[in-house]
Amino acid sequence: MTMFIVVRCGNDEKLLFNPDCHIANLLDNMRERFNIENIDYTHLDLCDEAGIAKDLPKYLQLNGSRFLATPGTYVLVERRSVVGLEECSELGTEESRPMQTVYTSLLNNAANLIPGFEPRGAVLKTQNPKELRKAKLGKELS
């Protein structure tokens, strides 16, 4: 039995999608059906209603049903990588600062429609450069 997900976007438009396909196809289909012409599907992602991003663009060739619970409701977001904006002498020049992912909800008035909704990555972020390095080293060791 095929299960579907509900995706919210725009003026609280809700559409059904079947996540049992390549994530690239799923995101591109969302872009087309929500009529999003100015954002490439590789810059789209989904957040659950708690605001946690699924990081789907990292897995474009995998099946979406591996990452999306059905039935489930998700919010379409734009995902952009930007140079970290922290002001810290240890980080050095702008070119040497770490990249950060910024999520922007494509659901208008999302915070009012879903109380407390704020899109964010699933990874704990820290402002302290020493903690960032420790976290990175810990990932490399595990």
Side-chain angles (χ1 to χ4, degrees), residues 6-95:
V6 174
V7 178
R8 298 172 73 173
C9 184
N11 291 323
D12 205 17
E13 186 177 358
K14 298 172 187 167
L15 296 178
L16 287 175
F17 292 89
N18 180 351
D20 191 19
C21 63
H22 279 126
I23 290 171
N25 296 338
L26 181 64
L27 293 174
D28 193 43
N29 186 253
M30 288 177 193
R31 185 186 63 77
E32 289 176 11
R33 290 180 59 197
F34 283 116
N35 199 27
I36 300 169
E37 297 175 0
N38 59 336
I39 303 173
D40 187 76
Y41 74 89
T42 59
H43 293 285
L44 294 176
D45 202 352
L46 293 176
C47 285
D48 60 24
E49 291 184 302
I52 305 298
K54 299 299 175 185
D55 288 328
L56 297 177
K58 291 181 180 179
Y59 311 102
L60 293 174
Q61 298 306 313
L62 296 180
N63 192 295
S65 61
R66 291 178 60 183
F67 302 92
L68 303 167
T70 58
T73 300
Y74 299 91
V75 175
L76 193 61
V77 296
E78 180 179 13
R79 180 181 195 272
R80 292 280 177 202
S81 294
V82 298
V83 174
L85 302 176
E86 301 95 24
E87 292 297 325
C88 180
S89 60
E90 283 190 53
L91 290 176
T93 65
E94 185 171 297
E95 293 80 26

Side-chain angles (χ1 to χ4, degrees), residues 8-14 49 75-77 104-119:
R8 298 172 73 173
C9 184
N11 291 323
D12 205 17
E13 186 177 358
K14 298 172 187 167
E49 291 184 302
V75 175
L76 193 61
V77 296
T104 304
S105 175
L106 298 177
L107 174 62
N108 299 334
N109 210 15
N112 289 334
L113 294 169
I114 306 169
F117 181 81
E118 184 176 329

